[in-house]
Amino acid sequence: MPTSPVAAPAPPGPGTAEHARRLPLALRRPRWVLWISVLFLVLTGVLAGGASAAMKNGGFDDPASDSSQATQLLAAKFPASQANLVLLVQSHAGVDAPQATATGKRLLATLTSTPGVHVVDSYFATGDPGLRSRDGHSALTTVNVSGDEDAVARTTTKLHDELARASGPVAVRFGGIAQVTNDLTDQTNNDLATSEGIALPLTLILLFFVFRGVVAALLPLFIGVLSISGSLAVLYGLGQATSVSVFAVNLTTALGLGLAVDYSLLIVSRYREERAGGLEARPALAATLRTAGRTVVFSGAIVAAVLSTLVVFKQYFLSSFAYAGVAVVAITVLCALLPLPAALLLVGDRIDSRAVRRKRAAGTAAEAKAPQDRLWGRIAGGVMRRPLVAGLLVAGLLVVVAAPLTGAQFGVPDERALPKGTESRVVADLARTQFSGDDENALSLVGQDWPDGSPTDLAAYAQRLSALPHVTSVTSAAGRFQQGRPVGGPVPGLTAGAATVLQVADDVVPYSPAGEQLVTSVRAVPVPGGHRVYVGGLAAQYVDVTASIGARLPLAIGLATLLTLVLLSLATGSVLLPLKAVLFNALGLGAVLGAMIWIFQDGHLAGLLDVTPAPIAVTMPVLLLCIAYALSMDYEMFVLSRIKERYTKSGDPIGAVREGLGGSGPIITAAAAILAVSFFSTAISGVSLAKLFGIGTGLAVILDAVLVRGVLVPAFLKIFGAAAWWAPAPMKRLTGRISGAVGEH
């Protein structure tokens, strides 16, 4: 038989001086708290406006990788050797016609006079047939734009504004990785505005019905604005000291509003429940903060801990989300515990003014039901009648959905992430199909300690490289080679003191398994004389990024698991429940990732979603799984804390599940619905990366709220009964001192 816990000493009674002193600050000085909140909003709003300008594009590379080292050496010693921008000149009359030739010459004049721009090769300068299309109507000029990601983006935009022409007798289009990056950024920003235009009205409507009134629905928006403004101000400050990705703004907005809704719904629901039990506003809010408020603290700690693990990655694109996530969570928790209860106290009964009154009697009757008799309580009861069958069915379904994971392919985003008509994608497709030479896709091998006096070694090395499969030519200071044979003499401009560069042209798609195999083959060729050679280029970047993230991923997963186990153990006082949470969440997230591979890599539903099947960008699953895992732990705390409260009071582990899920189920369902609307709205995006993240995260939220919390959790708790709450006595004492009544909401 379960034993009832020892009752805690009764708190000081209402009206006593000691009770007043022990009230939270928000209930003792509510007006002060709100005025300080408004001042906080004004001050952070000033800084938040400059947040995007303080952040950077890019951040996908590992700075210590072989390809990054090659890029830095190329920029320092051979700025005109590695192209990152491609200009395509098209003419119906042919690129050798006078008007096309004149346009090509004007392009070269503008490019050579622009600081930080180096022409790598051009049909209009050399007449190289590899830079003339097979049909004779197009010609390429390849360019290196120097600087970091932001400088490259600015210069590329400036050149595009000056030179690009989409129509006319002679058209000029921009491509290459520099233009792809700009197109991705522009498309993402445009799509974000469109998706927010769809999601925001739907979110407001849902908030009105979920919070049952206009006044109550405005509270989470107020908390969300405070959180977003404060977090952007933090990112602005961090942007002055370190590299922060501009895409962290998107996470700040989505997560700030999502957590504001979650925590506000939790606080407001418990407050209404306490008021319905007969308490006045101040005592009801005090009870709410002792219970739901403590749940918010533990939930926020778990979410922040999980997101902070992204800092282990060397790519600042990912580590930026750790900074943004921790800032958002910390500020949202503070806002839920300070300005929100202060506003509730001052608003008083007006929180239900302009409330939903349709079917009021039926709604009141439904609310009067015991938690176990509400919808989610009845669902839990049904699951627990056949817990093993229900649990195995759901677990089996999730395993089946996760099956495509076995064929997963990961890479780096390229032009295939853009809609088919996008300028840089059109140029890339033409360069691949119409041209035999494309300097942008070449590998660049840089030797640092290769003195001018070793041409024999250099020639032997270049000759061996040219014999590799898919290598079309190797150009070096010792000559030009094809298929293991010399075809040209020494090429000037490819040495700088003790440094030299070799251009390895190939016929593979850089961001592909074939590109990976080519880089592996090139790096396996012995370098004569013990010289050090760095391999750079798009294909090398692809190999190094995936390897770097793969090497750090086990550490991130291990830290997230460890932190989750520790914090959930402190919150629940149980050994098994944290293990269960990690296992079930991994099962759900595996299903989500499997579904994304089935759609975005294997091409199912590709026509409906208008995406091009391609390997999954390696950064996106990491980000998606981290965010979805953090949100699932948020809901885990909501469920387990309510069940723990009922179990603590009754000692009945089975009845506590029905009561706990019946009480917390509506909160989780409502919060999940609002979040899912926001994430699913990105399905209209033209960028497949944004679609994958939005659809994947929305699906994860729904699966977690319905299948994991609704079926797997009650099935597990029914099978294990009171044993699910077991912990060694020392651990029980520790968690009792730390968490007290945590989770009683």
Side-chain angles (χ1 to χ4, degrees), residues 727-738:
M731 179 178 167
K732 283 287 187 186
R733 288 193 294 271
L734 175 63
T735 57
R737 285 196 297 268
I738 293 176

Side-chain angles (χ1 to χ4, degrees), residues 1-2 383-388 391-392 574-581 583-584 640 643 647 651-657 711-727:
M1 292 291 292
V383 169
M384 289 190 293
R385 281 194 289 273
R386 296 287 188 275
L388 192 59
L392 288 176
S574 166
V575 171
L576 283 180
L577 290 177
L579 293 171
K580 178 272 304 175
L583 176 62
F584 287 175
L640 291 183
I643 295 174
Y647 178 51
D652 177 9
I654 307 306
V657 176
V711 179
L712 293 182
V713 169
F716 175 90
L717 292 174
K718 168 64 175 179
I719 292 170
F720 284 89
W725 300 93
W726 177 86

Side-chain angles (χ1 to χ4, degrees), residues 18 24 33 87 94 165 217 275 348 361 472 474 501 538 564 607 613 617 625 630 642 693:
E18 183 182 357
V33 169
L87 278 69
R165 298 290 183 272
R275 291 300 306 274
T472 57
V474 176
V501 62
L538 299 183
T564 298
L625 296 180
R642 177 68 78 139
F693 179 73

Side-chain angles (χ1 to χ4, degrees), residues 361-562:
T364 303
E367 290 178 4
K369 289 182 180 179
Q372 64 269 26
D373 295 326
R374 299 173 191 167
L375 175 61
W376 283 103
R378 295 196 303 273
I379 290 174
V383 169
M384 289 190 293
R385 281 194 289 273
R386 296 287 188 275
L388 192 59
V389 173
L392 288 176
L393 283 174
V394 169
L397 173 64
L398 295 177
V399 169
V400 169
V401 178
L405 272 171
T406 57
Q409 299 175 11
F410 300 105
V412 178
D414 59 13
E415 71 279 351
R416 288 172 291 180
L418 290 162
K420 291 181 179 178
T422 307
E423 181 179 7
S424 57
R425 179 163 181 177
V426 170
V427 172
D429 290 340
L430 282 171
R432 190 176 300 117
T433 59
Q434 284 287 325
F435 293 85
S436 58
D438 185 355
D439 291 337
E440 192 207 17
N441 291 341
L443 293 177
S444 294
L445 281 60
V446 190
Q448 258 191 306
D449 56 353
W450 211 304
D452 294 335
S454 56
T456 304
D457 286 349
L458 185 60
Y461 182 52
Q463 189 168 349
R464 284 197 293 269
L465 289 171
S466 70
L468 293 175
H470 297 292
V471 172
T472 57
S473 69
V474 176
T475 303
S476 72
R480 194 165 184 263
F481 300 84
Q482 287 181 340
Q483 298 179 347
R485 298 187 302 273
V487 294
V491 179
L494 298 182
T495 58
T500 189
V501 62
L502 298 90
Q503 294 287 354
V504 179
D506 56 76
D507 60 4
V508 302
V509 176
Y511 296 156
S512 69
E516 179 180 8
Q517 182 57 51
L518 174 63
V519 173
T520 302
S521 300
V522 167
R523 286 175 172 168
V525 174
V527 182
H531 302 300
R532 181 69 172 94
V533 172
Y534 297 94
V535 181
L538 299 183
Q541 178 202 32
Y542 160 71
V543 171
D544 291 344
V545 168
T546 53
S548 174
I549 291 179
R552 292 276 170 159
L553 189 58
L555 175 60
I557 292 174
L559 284 175
T561 302
L562 178 63

Side-chain angles (χ1 to χ4, degrees), residues 105-188:
K105 297 296 184 182
R106 284 197 298 272
L107 290 181
L108 289 174
T110 301
L111 293 171
T112 53
S113 64
T114 302
V117 175
H118 307 273
V119 176
V120 176
D121 205 351
S122 175
Y123 176 75
F124 301 104
T126 66
D128 183 350
L131 299 174
R132 183 177 184 270
S133 65
R134 293 182 177 90
D135 62 10
H137 294 297
S138 304
L140 294 179
T141 295
T142 57
V143 177
N144 175 268
V145 182
S146 61
D148 61 15
E149 292 98 333
D150 288 332
V152 171
R154 287 193 299 270
T155 303
T156 300
T157 300
K158 176 178 178 292
L159 291 173
H160 188 274
D161 291 342
E162 292 180 10
L163 301 175
R165 298 290 183 272
S167 59
V170 180
V172 179
R173 292 184 170 90
F174 277 49
I177 194 63
Q179 185 61 35
V180 168
T181 301
N182 277 8
D183 285 344
L184 282 171
T185 301
D186 293 342
Q187 185 76 45
T188 300

Side-chain angles (χ1 to χ4, degrees), residues 72-258:
Q72 293 171 21
L73 285 169
L74 286 169
K77 297 181 179 295
F78 305 98
S81 64
Q82 180 69 57
N84 55 7
L85 181 64
V86 176
L87 278 69
L88 178 75
V89 176
Q90 293 178 297
S91 171
H92 292 297
V95 292
D96 294 315
Q99 196 169 7
T101 301
T103 298
K105 297 296 184 182
R106 284 197 298 272
L107 290 181
L108 289 174
T110 301
L111 293 171
T112 53
S113 64
T114 302
V117 175
H118 307 273
V119 176
V120 176
D121 205 351
S122 175
Y123 176 75
F124 301 104
T126 66
D128 183 350
L131 299 174
R132 183 177 184 270
S133 65
R134 293 182 177 90
D135 62 10
H137 294 297
S138 304
L140 294 179
T141 295
T142 57
V143 177
N144 175 268
V145 182
S146 61
D148 61 15
E149 292 98 333
D150 288 332
V152 171
R154 287 193 299 270
T155 303
T156 300
T157 300
K158 176 178 178 292
L159 291 173
H160 188 274
D161 291 342
E162 292 180 10
L163 301 175
R165 298 290 183 272
S167 59
V170 180
V172 179
R173 292 184 170 90
F174 277 49
I177 194 63
Q179 185 61 35
V180 168
T181 301
N182 277 8
D183 285 344
L184 282 171
T185 301
D186 293 342
Q187 185 76 45
T188 300
N189 291 336
N190 294 335
D191 292 342
L192 181 63
T194 303
S195 64
E196 286 180 347
I198 296 172
L200 187 57
L202 292 176
T203 300
L204 291 174
I205 292 170
L206 286 173
L207 284 174
F208 173 70
F209 284 102
V210 167
F211 283 85
R212 297 179 298 166
V214 174
V215 176
L218 291 175
L219 292 176
L221 291 180
F222 174 58
I223 300 304
V225 170
L226 284 173
S227 174
I228 293 168
S229 179
S231 301
L232 290 178
V234 171
L235 291 179
Y236 171 81
L238 287 171
Q240 309 303 313
T242 188
S243 297
V244 180
S245 171
V246 70
F247 293 102
V249 173
N250 297 344
L251 176 67
T252 299
T253 304
L255 192 61
L257 183 57

Side-chain angles (χ1 to χ4, degrees), residues 3-27:
T3 56
S4 299
V6 178
T16 65
E18 183 182 357
H19 180 271
R21 286 194 299 271
R22 292 182 61 177
L23 283 174
L25 176 64
L27 305 184

